[in-house]
Amino acid sequence: MEITQIIQNYIKPELLVLAIVLYFIGTGIKKTEKINDKYIPLILGLTGTIISAIYVVATSTFNGYQSVLMAIFTSIVQGILVAGLSVYSNQLIKQSQK
């Protein structure tokens, strides 16, 4: 499956900008050299999930426990996907420079 198909099929269009934001956050973390590189994807995943949760809560109507569980699930999945896209983009840029 091509990356563009994944983006179109699985990531909410309004959250695509979050991948760009996470990319710059990851770049900033890397430049500080205070955090080990292996933790950057985890930090980006958590940050993406939290920001996605804020978006989902702000745009959802909750009518019961099912809608709350769906919001939690959506937040986690979208956060992981945008963080993955951010890390993937970073690696594509690095590999193209070699």
Side-chain angles (χ1 to χ4, degrees):
M1 185 176 263
E2 229 180 277
I3 188 70
T4 54
Q5 287 178 323
I6 292 171
I7 292 169
Q8 291 173 345
N9 292 335
Y10 297 109
I11 298 177
K12 291 180 177 276
E14 52 275 6
L15 290 176
L16 281 175
V17 71
L18 183 54
I20 298 166
V21 170
L22 291 175
Y23 174 84
F24 288 115
I25 290 172
T27 303
I29 292 171
K30 182 150 179 79
K31 286 184 180 180
T32 65
E33 298 179 2
K34 292 182 180 181
I35 298 173
N36 194 325
D37 289 353
K38 69 181 180 181
Y39 296 118
I40 294 175
L42 177 63
I43 293 168
L44 295 180
L46 290 173
T47 305
T49 301
I50 291 167
I51 296 172
S52 293
I54 292 168
Y55 168 79
V56 169
V57 168
T59 59
S60 296
T61 304
F62 299 108
N63 326 12
Y65 75 94
Q66 279 185 317
S67 59
V68 172
L69 293 175
M70 183 56 98
I72 292 169
F73 175 77
T74 302
S75 300
I76 293 169
V77 170
Q78 291 297 304
I80 291 170
L81 288 174
V82 294
L85 179 60
S86 174
V87 172
Y88 179 73
S89 300
N90 178 275
Q91 290 301 309
L92 282 177
I93 291 168
K94 279 185 179 180
Q95 295 302 320
S96 69
Q97 293 174 351
K98 286 187 178 182

